[in-house]
Amino acid sequence: MVKVGPHWDVLRAPAEIGERVLDLLGDASGAVIADYGLMYWLIPAGHAQGWRRIREGIHALGAHGAEVTYVGVPPAHWRGGPRLHWRVPVGPDRYLTDVARLREALVRAVAAELAEEATAR
């Protein structure tokens, strides 16, 4: 477990949305941790505090005042799930995800999910 905030914040989303986001971001995605149906994007420290809500189940986590949050961080070689693993491995050229791009991809992924749900009705 690593404390969120000193080095990076995280954006947590359900895996169903997360997979769409990964498709939309492509190579622009930074490192992503996956753990039992959730995905965690590493984002620059301090950006979680100003995050606006997109929908239920998507949360930005960071160091806010007295709040302390921890995230499980797998060893670099753990790359398969469903337990804690790197969905997109961390590396020298892949670390933090640009917050504006991530937000845009999340909004598009949620819109696509809602459109599919409406069509299925």
Side-chain angles (χ1 to χ4, degrees):
M1 300 297 281
V2 175
K3 184 178 180 180
V4 175
H7 304 289
W8 36 260
D9 288 348
V10 295
L11 188 287
R12 180 181 70 202
E16 305 81 43
I17 294 290
E19 290 298 333
R20 288 179 190 261
V21 170
L22 285 177
D23 287 342
L24 291 165
L25 286 174
D27 290 338
S29 180
V32 180
I33 298 168
D35 191 16
Y36 285 110
L38 294 172
M39 290 185 172
Y40 299 83
W41 275 261
L42 305 184
I43 60 175
H47 282 79
Q49 191 167 7
W51 191 270
R52 293 183 322 260
R53 183 177 178 166
I54 294 173
R55 77 169 269 239
E56 186 72 29
I58 299 174
H59 302 283
L61 307 170
H64 306 340
E67 177 184 322
V68 178
T69 304
Y70 292 87
V71 170
V73 177
H77 65 280
W78 286 12
R79 298 194 180 171
R83 296 183 188 148
L84 183 67
H85 66 282
W86 289 103
R87 177 61 181 81
V88 178
V90 68
D93 60 337
R94 192 173 296 256
Y95 183 47
L96 302 177
T97 301
D98 177 89
V99 178
R101 284 185 172 186
L102 179 57
R103 182 169 186 78
E104 179 183 336
L106 278 162
V107 167
R108 290 176 58 196
V110 167
E113 181 183 58
L114 293 174
E116 286 179 7
E117 288 175 6
T119 302
R121 290 183 200 160

